[in-house]
Amino acid sequence: LKGLYMSRVATDKGPDVLVDEEYLYQAIVAPEVEIREGYGSFMPAYDYLDDAHVEALIVLIKSLAE
């Protein structure tokens, strides 16, 4: 996850998707919506987490980009 935030990745929706907070939120709660190229659809949805817990995960991922 280091360096992932604000990078660009290829997904099944397009070749150049920005990994921002919106992308991370969706990837956590509904990962099947946009699948990163080279990865299968095997990540479980963490849709049972409340927004505060999802935001905490996003903050952690963002901190790894610094």
Side-chain angles (χ1 to χ4, degrees), residues 11 41 51 56 66:
T11 71
S41 179
D51 283 343
E66 299 171 354

Side-chain angles (χ1 to χ4, degrees), residues 1-65:
L1 296 173
K2 185 172 181 153
L4 179 64
Y5 183 67
M6 297 309 286
S7 67
R8 295 198 172 270
V9 297
T11 71
D12 60 348
K13 303 289 186 201
D16 195 22
V17 177
L18 179 64
V19 179
D20 57 7
E21 289 184 25
E22 181 179 334
Y23 175 90
L24 290 172
Y25 185 90
Q26 182 174 309
I28 293 167
V29 298
E32 73 284 350
V33 172
E34 192 163 26
I35 300 169
R36 191 165 168 191
E37 189 175 282
Y39 293 84
S41 179
F42 58 85
M43 183 171 160
Y46 292 96
D47 53 356
Y48 56 86
L49 295 176
D50 62 30
D51 283 343
H53 286 104
V54 175
E55 181 61 31
L57 289 171
I58 293 171
V59 168
L60 172 66
I61 294 168
K62 287 171 64 174
S63 74
L64 296 174

